[in-house]
Amino acid sequence: MGDSRDVILARIRGALGDRPDPRPVPREYQRTRDFPSVLDLFAERVADYRAIVHRVTDPVELIRSALAGKRVAVASDAPPEWLVPEVTWLREPLTNADLDACDGVLTGCAVGIAETGTIVLDGGVAQGRRALTLLPDYHLCVVRADQVVGTVPEALARLEPTRPLTFVSGPSATSDIEMDRVEGVHGPRTLEVLIVSQ
Amino acid sequence: MGDTARNPVTWLGSPAFPTAAKTALADDQLRRNLKHATGLIRTKRAGAVAELPDWEQLRLSGEAIKDDVLANLDTYLLRFEESVAARGGTVHWARDAAEANEIVLRLAREAGADEVVKIKSMATMEIGLNEALQAGGVTPIETDLAELIVQLGNDRPSHILVPAIHRNRTEIRDIFKAAMPGTEDLTDEPVELAAAARAFLRRKFLSAKVAVSGANFGVAETGSVVVVESEGNGRMCLTLPETLITVMGIEKLVPTWQDLEVFLQLLPRSSTAERMNPYTSVWTGVTPGDGPRDFHLVLVDNGRTDTLASTVGRQALRCIRCSACLNVCPVYERTGGQAYGSVYPGPIGAILAPQLGGDMHDKHAASLPFASSLCGACFEVCPVRIDIPSVLVHLRAKAVEAKPKYSPEAIGMAAMSWVMAGPRRFRAAQRLAVAGRLLSRGGRIRGLPFPGSKWTDSRDLPAPAKESFSAWWKRTRG
Ligand code: SF4
């Protein structure tokens, strides 16, 4: 095996015998853009994926009305004010079977990207491990205004690459059958987003 | 593992492109499905690309970043290996398909799996992993909806991105009904078909011990691996099983985390014509308490270093498998992917498959560079600016070298033989013009470089009167 490593590296060095000297990488693309309102754009683009979007100043009322009477998973460090008594909260540690059987999951996020309508989860505060937002059929995600950036380059600059990252752009979807977009194959079939700004 | 093993990048026993194309052209349903799908994606892609004011600048960066990776591939691979290992992953190196398959099979067995769940991956298809696992007593389960359709239908994929592009909903319903228990009342509504697949696969995800994935990108600097997908089956595979085995071509690297900002913009818009695909997963080695406990990365050469040696051909290794070139290709639209007899169909397949296979004496591989009109549409859409027409011309010359007994004229004829009727007719200028109509875009022929240029003085002929491909084919071949 170490053998194959040497062989491949030797083949590469042989193949590059002409010593190609690539020109410096041009980076003339825009790393930021002038959007009139990053939050408006984010809300609009998330909704374009047929996710349900709300703009609120305080998430608690919407959490209550969206989740009352349901069994909902949360990360162990979810903010206590989210945990309204009308909901049966399932706290980690949870098994895959628990997650498969619950009604939904409530999380925060790391970053929102306005231009692409994307939410990035990094396993940080209120997000939990990846399975938490994967197995339940419904995902309610709270996005704070200060977490939303304009572009993909701005988002990557905020993220720590060695954390497990999941970029979510709308609910799970496929276009495999005659190019018709169908929501929800394996991930959550419903994505609801609360954008919180003062 | 021998170096002599056949490279399975082309399917054994595939007829040369002209023969396969003829069969495909006779299939009306196939052509209707293809035309519908490629037409839709083309229009959508143009819209998604037009939205970004700096698209051309992104393409130029994408091209240059990948060229840097290729020019310093040894350095970046070693850096990547070190970063993956530092985060608890294990890196394996495989010279060829046989060795890569052997490694994956051994790892799956060591993890005690008799079944593995799989994410659609060109690399694992290229090395024939499914067949190898099956032969070794491990059952691979394809979890991408289209791959599942292909697998359950005992079929072959026909498009990089939409492998079941050649199947319509009624055919898919019939395939599901035959293979999934409890689906007797299934209708052909896409929503219902997707739900049936969801239920069928959920049990597999929850019980699988081992998952196998490909990779869209590997970040040399951090050791991070990126998988871009739509359905969430990728997330299932990357998250739930205890062992994850990722098979990755050695050219899939980007140097730094920041470089991804270019490709995460180029890929989704070129590929599914979306601003962003539904899910992108990034992981680095092993994260305690989240996801697999064991992560293995298999770096595969399988003809890539040979391709790298060609100063003209190496740019094919920039490919990020977005499939945009397929959707704009007039040849692909008419013949479908299966006619190429390779894992990599369409324009990129016509330059990648022969190079990875590395044997221009193989009649099938040698026919692929001729499956093109050199119209240039593929280059215009390629997010990493691969000059496919130039590589095609270069490979045609290689195919010629491999058959030295041919005169240049005869080779030129062989070159166009899949479109042209044969030596006699090929000399007739109007026949070439007919081909020109079929191969032109927007009513103009954008030049037929070699070998077409040998027979045309003008590089920009007005397109001849319209005639359907099949009518033309019948008339000139029949
Ligand atoms: S050659 Fe270019 S357009 Fe074709 S699949 Fe590769 S990256 Fe996409």
Side-chain angles (χ1 to χ4, degrees):
Chain A
M1 216 165 61
D3 188 29
S4 294
R5 179 178 184 271
D6 294 345
V7 170
I8 293 171
L9 290 170
R11 284 178 182 172
I12 292 170
R13 285 162 192 153
L16 296 172
D18 61 314
R19 307 224 168 271
D21 188 13
R23 48 206 170 83
V25 175
R27 298 209 186 250
E28 319 231 302
Y29 56 88
Q30 304 167 357
R31 308 203 61 237
T32 60
R33 289 196 227 283
D34 261 337
F35 296 123
S37 161
V38 168
L39 274 194
D40 287 352
L41 185 66
F42 179 69
E44 177 197 313
R45 300 246 156 129
V46 172
D48 270 358
Y49 296 119
R50 291 185 228 170
I52 305 159
V53 178
H54 308 273
R55 305 278 297 267
V56 293
T57 49
D58 177 356
V60 173
E61 267 325 299
L62 253 156
I63 289 173
R64 194 189 323 273
S65 59
L67 303 181
K70 305 224 160 93
R71 300 175 67 251
V72 178
V74 276
S76 49
D77 55 357
E81 64 272 22
W82 290 1
L83 305 180
V84 295
E86 292 82 351
V87 179
T88 308
W89 297 106
L90 310 173
R91 309 281 296 266
E92 290 268 40
L94 298 164
T95 65
N96 287 343
D98 295 336
L99 289 171
D100 193 33
C102 73
D103 294 319
V105 59
L106 169 65
T107 72
C109 75
V111 171
I113 311 173
E115 184 164 57
T116 59
T118 303
I119 291 163
V120 190
L121 307 167
D122 72 351
V125 175
Q127 298 162 60
R129 62 198 168 103
R130 286 171 286 172
L132 203 66
T133 49
L134 177 60
L135 287 169
D137 202 13
Y138 168 92
H139 180 191
L140 180 60
C141 186
V142 179
V143 182
R144 290 195 323 264
D146 64 351
Q147 290 176 318
V148 180
V149 298
T151 63
V152 172
E154 288 173 282
L156 292 202
R158 278 205 189 186
L159 291 163
E160 165 54 50
T162 54
R163 302 182 75 108
L165 304 175
T166 307
F167 291 61
V168 177
S169 304
S172 153
T174 184
S175 299
D176 280 347
I177 303 166
E178 295 183 13
M179 304 301 296
D180 259 9
R181 186 175 162 112
V182 176
E183 268 80 36
V185 194
H186 300 295
R189 281 186 273 202
T190 309
L191 175 67
E192 194 158 352
V193 179
L194 299 185
I195 305 170
V196 187
S197 50
Q198 303 310 319
Chain B
M1 77 181 72
D3 275 353
T4 51
R6 199 191 78 86
N7 187 332
V9 66
T10 53
W11 291 318
L12 195 60
S14 290
F17 187 83
T19 317
K22 193 172 178 182
T23 314
L25 286 163
D27 187 339
D28 282 349
Q29 180 68 55
L30 168 78
R31 286 178 54 211
R32 264 198 302 277
N33 294 354
L34 270 170
K35 196 164 187 278
H36 174 67
T38 54
L40 269 176
I41 314 179
R42 267 204 307 273
T43 316
K44 271 186 69 189
R45 180 203 155 274
V49 163
E51 215 178 76
L52 291 191
D54 54 347
W55 184 253
E56 287 310 314
Q57 286 75 21
L58 285 166
R59 285 179 80 211
L60 286 165
S61 294
E63 172 189 22
I65 292 168
K66 279 292 185 180
D67 276 350
D68 172 37
V69 167
L70 295 176
N72 300 289
L73 192 55
D74 48 347
T75 313
Y76 287 130
L77 280 170
L78 290 173
R79 193 169 301 162
F80 184 59
E81 178 187 43
E82 198 184 311
S83 317
V84 172
R87 301 276 310 181
T90 311
V91 177
H92 309 258
W93 300 68
R95 277 176 273 197
D96 53 25
E99 189 177 8
N101 288 333
E102 220 175 74
I103 294 168
V104 177
L105 181 61
R106 176 173 53 77
L107 292 171
R109 282 183 176 150
E110 280 170 12
D114 50 19
E115 211 171 76
V116 301
V117 285
K118 279 195 67 212
I119 315 174
K120 177 171 111 82
S121 131
M122 301 305 299
T124 61
M125 233 185 291
E126 172 194 319
I127 61 175
L129 178 65
N130 283 3
E131 294 73 14
L133 287 173
Q134 200 88 61
V138 174
T139 307
I141 316 268
E142 290 292 352
T143 62
D144 180 80
L145 182 53
E147 289 298 330
L148 183 72
I149 294 165
V150 169
Q151 193 179 45
L152 295 179
N154 288 318
D155 203 352
R156 273 174 175 168
S158 61
H159 189 283
I160 294 180
L161 180 73
V162 203
I165 201 168
H166 59 293
R167 295 285 196 188
N168 67 17
R169 62 183 72 188
T170 313
E171 293 173 285
I172 295 168
R173 180 202 58 200
D174 295 342
I175 291 169
F176 279 11
K177 271 182 151 173
M180 296 176 184
T183 54
E184 294 76 19
D185 301 325
L186 198 61
T187 73
D188 61 6
E189 274 308 306
V191 180
E192 265 199 50
L193 295 170
R198 179 186 176 98
F200 177 77
L201 287 173
R202 184 60 67 121
R203 276 167 285 147
K204 301 284 183 194
F205 289 130
L206 289 171
S207 61
K209 287 192 184 124
V210 175
V212 176
S213 86
N216 291 97
F217 305 102
V219 183
E221 173 191 41
T222 61
S224 313
V225 183
V226 183
V227 164
V228 169
E229 55 140 349
S230 292
E231 297 172 6
N233 61 309
R235 294 179 66 194
M236 293 278 176
C237 292
L238 300 173
T239 312
L240 298 180
E242 280 172 13
T243 301
L244 172 61
I245 306 167
T246 297
V247 179
M248 178 173 146
I250 52 173
E251 83 286 17
K252 294 260 122 184
L253 294 179
V254 298
T256 67
W257 174 246
Q258 196 200 324
D259 291 325
L260 269 186
E261 71 190 19
V262 174
F263 296 99
L264 288 186
Q265 296 190 75
L266 287 174
L267 181 55
R269 289 179 198 258
S270 299
S271 172
T272 44
E274 290 165 299
R275 293 185 179 119
M276 194 65 102
N277 48 289
Y279 298 130
T280 295
S281 295
V282 181
W283 74 97
T284 310
V286 176
T287 304
D290 188 347
R293 286 196 301 224
D294 238 338
F295 171 52
H296 295 272
L297 188 92
V298 185
L299 292 169
V300 183
D301 178 347
N302 203 40
R304 284 161 177 76
T305 47
D306 286 343
T307 308
L308 187 65
S310 160
T311 52
V312 180
R314 64 166 61 126
Q315 57 181 309
L317 298 175
R318 293 205 295 257
C319 176
I320 56 172
R321 312 280 189 263
C322 71
S323 72
C325 58
L326 277 63
N327 301 323
V328 296
C329 178
V331 175
Y332 175 86
E333 183 179 293
R334 286 168 176 81
T335 62
Q338 292 174 336
Y340 293 78
S342 160
V343 171
Y344 301 107
I348 180 61
I351 61 169
L352 198 56
Q355 295 199 90
L356 292 179
D359 181 12
M360 276 303 188
H361 295 280
D362 178 276
K363 218 175 134 203
H364 168 61
S367 76
L368 288 175
F370 299 108
S372 165
S373 66
L374 307 175
C375 76
C378 46
F379 168 69
E380 275 166 41
V381 296
C382 178
V384 286
R385 296 171 45 90
I386 300 173
D387 185 356
I388 295 178
S390 293
V391 182
L392 285 167
V393 168
H394 164 77
L395 291 175
R396 286 177 185 188
K398 289 264 186 206
V400 166
E401 268 168 41
K403 291 208 180 286
K405 60 181 176 165
Y406 286 176
S407 68
E409 285 73 22
I411 280 128
M413 281 183 260
M416 291 295 276
S417 67
W418 77 272
V419 258
M420 303 313 293
R424 265 179 309 115
R425 292 165 186 163
F426 192 52
R427 290 194 182 90
Q430 76 263 41
R431 291 283 190 275
L432 187 62
V434 171
R437 172 67 188 81
L438 133 83
L439 302 167
S440 71
R441 305 195 63 75
R444 301 292 289 182
I445 301 170
R446 301 238 233 129
L448 289 171
F450 176 85
S453 57
K454 291 178 82 89
W455 286 271
T456 54
D457 294 328
S458 164
R459 301 269 294 180
D460 201 1
L461 298 167
K466 192 170 179 159
E467 183 179 12
S468 85
F469 187 87
S470 61
W472 169 79
W473 184 274
K474 238 198 195 134
R475 184 169 58 74
T476 53
R477 291 285 293 206

